[in-house]
Amino acid sequence: MQEQPQPTEQPRRSFLKYVLTGGLVAWAGSVLYPILAYLKPPIQPEVEVSSVKAGKLADIPKESGTIIKFGSKPVILVRSAKDELRAFDATCTHLDCTVQYNKDKGMLWCACHNGTYDLTGRNVGGPPPRPLEEYRVITQGEEVLISKKS
Amino acid sequence: MKQKLSKLYSWIDERVELQDLVQFMGKKYVPIHSHSVWYYFGGVSLFLFIIQVITGIMLLLYYKGSEELAFESIQFIISKVQFGWLIRSIHSWAANLFVLAAMIHMFSVYFEKAYKKPREITWLTGMLMFFMALGFGFSGYLLPWNELAFFATKVGTDIAGVVPVIGEPILMFLRAGEDVTGATLSRFFGFHVAVFPGIFTVLLGIHLVLVQRQGMSEPEGFDPNVKEKTMPFFPNFLLRDLLLWLIVLNILAILAVFFPWELGKKADAFAPAPAGIKPEWYFMFMFQTLKFIPAKVLFIDGEILGILAFGFAGALWMFVPFWDRKSAQGEKNKLVNYLGIFAVIYIIILTTLGWFL
């Protein structure tokens, strides 16, 4: 009587292979994950600012732009030659520099790459791809308040 | 004295077999031909890197890497510490000369086609070191925490953030958050004084061992067996190298003393970017290109286009030994020359425009 050829160690061997490979992958994952997670900076909760005081109207000269701290973001308050008050996000939409009011041009100007915005915040020259986000300006008697447009 | 020295030598030799090493060091020669002058610039780059390590460690003894203290600590170094102004000025100037020397070294190797087989790995390590030199420059620039540095870092990291898909995580990783803050400074400090020097040293080791093992690259049709056409590296060429190093050190001293590096104003997150802000000269051609690209090309952002184009050009440049088959077979490759000439002219023109526009 012929003996059946035993399917020798194959199933056991491949089972071990899977277990060991799987274990190795899991181990590598458990080493790499904390490292990658560590490198990701934690999100710091920021105090949500809805409006800030920008000072007294009398202290804001005509044809000027003042940088106001809006939480952790700079906002530029512009008082035009026509005595209009407007406020914009002061961060240039091009590459993150902070814009300033340029008296000669009567425009908002970014020194980094020569981008210009008109006094309604529209990107009119140079590389900026988008207009500046506008903020709301409210005058309560003498006080000037800036708030986010909802 | 001599006896003592030879005794010490043989004591070490018995244990670590110095003899082989000395032979290995001594058998290199330098070919003499009309382009031999280019053999000096790798050595000059090496010398300037050594200067950076020494002056960098010296600055590290007084520098404080934090938002509140960084600017003040540099002020302290340049006003109170004896010769602090000199050390800082040398570190800043040598950084610039290092990039310049490495650039000259890189372009000369490129035009001489010295990257061709069997020296592809030498070229690759060299290119990686060059990118790392730019990284050193970019990260070190922020450390004084002044106005110019603050905006340069904002712009530089924002550019990385423009890259599709991976841009945003990279930006967060570089800035250590949404904005450039003291956390960014800590991170850049770590890159500048630990991560980069460590990696750079390994690459430099590979680069130099390969040069030593393969010897100097010879121009096409050069016969090294003619005695008058070669010079032993040790000691003849080394002494010439050292003389040039001395000259470079003098140039550095003159620059550092007569044109001391400015510190500028302390960074303020709520001040507009100052008029006349410029990147360092070696980033100028890229920034100037970004200035010229319109905001929208068809419907792709101009920025993305510029960055991808530079990325592609950099990759093409880095992998030249692998697509330039002709040079490896000893044929002339005009395309490589034209590309190189175009790159040099482009960089010169755009850098000049950046400085004078």
Side-chain angles (χ1 to χ4, degrees), chain B residues 218-235:
Chain B
E218 294 156 6
E220 216 45 67
F222 180 85
D223 182 8
N225 297 321
V226 182
K227 188 120 180 54
E228 292 76 49
K229 294 239 162 166
T230 63
M231 174 196 296
F233 178 82
F234 193 85

Side-chain angles (χ1 to χ4, degrees), chain B residues 201-220:
Chain B
T201 306
V202 172
L203 291 170
L204 183 61
I206 297 170
H207 198 78
L208 294 179
V209 164
L210 284 172
V211 171
Q212 189 62 40
R213 277 187 74 111
Q214 300 177 326
M216 298 293 192
S217 159
E218 294 156 6
E220 216 45 67

Side-chain angles (χ1 to χ4, degrees), chain A residues 38-39 41 43 46 67-74 94-100 109 111-114 126-129, chain B residues 151 154-155 158-159 162 172-173 175-179 187 269-277 287 290-291 293 295 301 303:
Chain A
Y38 180 88
L39 291 177
I43 305 293
E46 281 193 19
I67 301 271
I68 310 289
K69 289 185 184 189
F70 199 91
S72 64
K73 300 259 182 280
H94 175 225
L95 289 175
D96 242 14
C97 282
T98 309
V99 300
Q100 56 185 289
W109 174 67
C112 286
H113 305 91
N114 210 9
Chain B
F151 284 108
K154 266 183 99 110
V155 170
D158 211 58
I159 286 176
V162 171
M172 291 291 286
F173 170 71
R175 287 188 179 179
E178 293 277 338
D179 298 308
R187 209 157 264 218
F270 293 95
I277 185 169
F287 280 89
L290 290 183
K291 260 193 200 177
I293 296 178
D301 267 9
E303 235 65 80

Side-chain angles (χ1 to χ4, degrees), chain A residues 62-103:
Chain A
K62 271 189 193 176
E63 289 193 78
S64 77
T66 326
I67 301 271
I68 310 289
K69 289 185 184 189
F70 199 91
S72 64
K73 300 259 182 280
V75 165
I76 188 160
L77 174 66
V78 180
R79 188 169 178 180
S80 67
K82 295 178 200 152
D83 215 358
E84 270 186 298
L85 278 175
R86 279 169 179 265
F88 304 97
D89 182 348
T91 304
C92 183
T93 55
H94 175 225
L95 289 175
D96 242 14
C97 282
T98 309
V99 300
Q100 56 185 289
Y101 180 82
N102 184 304
K103 219 170 175 165

Side-chain angles (χ1 to χ4, degrees), chain B residues 45-104:
Chain B
S45 309
L46 173 66
F47 174 62
L48 287 162
F49 178 70
I50 294 167
I51 297 263
Q52 286 307 74
V53 172
I54 295 167
T55 51
I57 291 172
M58 286 166 84
L59 290 170
L60 207 45
L61 300 179
Y62 289 105
Y63 176 74
K64 301 185 176 86
S66 81
E67 202 175 351
E68 294 78 26
L69 301 170
F71 184 84
E72 284 77 3
S73 72
I74 306 262
Q75 255 179 338
F76 178 77
I77 289 170
I78 60 181
S79 58
K80 295 276 193 297
V81 180
Q82 299 196 58
F83 295 106
W85 59 272
L86 180 67
I87 300 302
R88 184 203 171 225
S89 214
I90 284 184
H91 195 73
S92 304
W93 273 110
N96 281 276
L97 293 188
F98 173 56
V99 174
L100 183 66
M103 259 192 184
I104 296 171

Side-chain angles (χ1 to χ4, degrees), chain A residues 22-32:
Chain A
L24 200 63
V25 169
W27 176 83
S30 65
V31 170
L32 280 175

